[in-house]
Amino acid sequence: GPIFNLGRVLRGVAEGDLSGMIKFRKRDFLQEIADDGNQALEYLRQEIGDMQKTSEELVSRLEGGGESGNNPGHQEDALQEARALRDRLGKFRIVNEQ
């Protein structure tokens, strides 16, 4: 039951699916873990959603081409967006222990 649900959600996360929710029975001793896990998932959904929006705006700006694409002001705006995206991604630690 509860462990199967947790495993299902975590397998989804490993495949890039952050839409799941960890659910245990109200009196289950693992409820605190479910609450913490759901809070972490919500944080990741928000951060990744914001970064996706920023990256789409950046791609749109850079693909705009034409006069606005060659405008130094637009290029500077795009560079600032790219730096902001880099900085947001930089707060995530990714450790490969192999």
Side-chain angles (χ1 to χ4, degrees):
I3 300 301
F4 176 80
N5 179 4
L6 178 61
R8 180 185 55 76
V9 171
L10 292 176
R11 283 188 298 278
V13 170
E15 295 173 359
D17 179 5
L18 301 177
S19 65
M21 292 289 292
I22 302 168
K23 298 175 190 167
F24 294 138
R25 292 177 288 267
K26 288 187 182 204
R27 295 185 181 204
D28 199 311
F29 71 97
L30 296 174
Q31 186 59 47
E32 202 171 307
I33 290 172
D35 293 343
D36 291 344
N38 287 327
Q39 185 177 359
L41 284 169
E42 181 57 32
Y43 171 78
L44 290 172
R45 281 191 286 266
Q46 183 66 45
E47 287 295 307
I48 291 171
D50 289 348
M51 286 185 274
Q52 286 174 332
K53 181 179 176 187
T54 300
S55 69
E56 287 299 322
E57 291 169 358
L58 182 57
V59 166
S60 177
R61 186 177 306 252
L62 293 172
E63 287 179 340
E67 205 172 299
S68 66
N70 296 323
N71 182 326
H74 289 280
Q75 291 174 350
E76 182 61 32
D77 289 346
L79 180 58
Q80 287 179 1
E81 288 179 25
R83 286 179 177 147
L85 185 58
R86 178 198 59 201
D87 293 345
R88 285 191 89 161
L89 287 167
K91 69 180 167 182
F92 293 98
R93 288 186 306 239
I94 300 172
V95 177
N96 186 351
E97 297 180 11
Q98 294 179 346

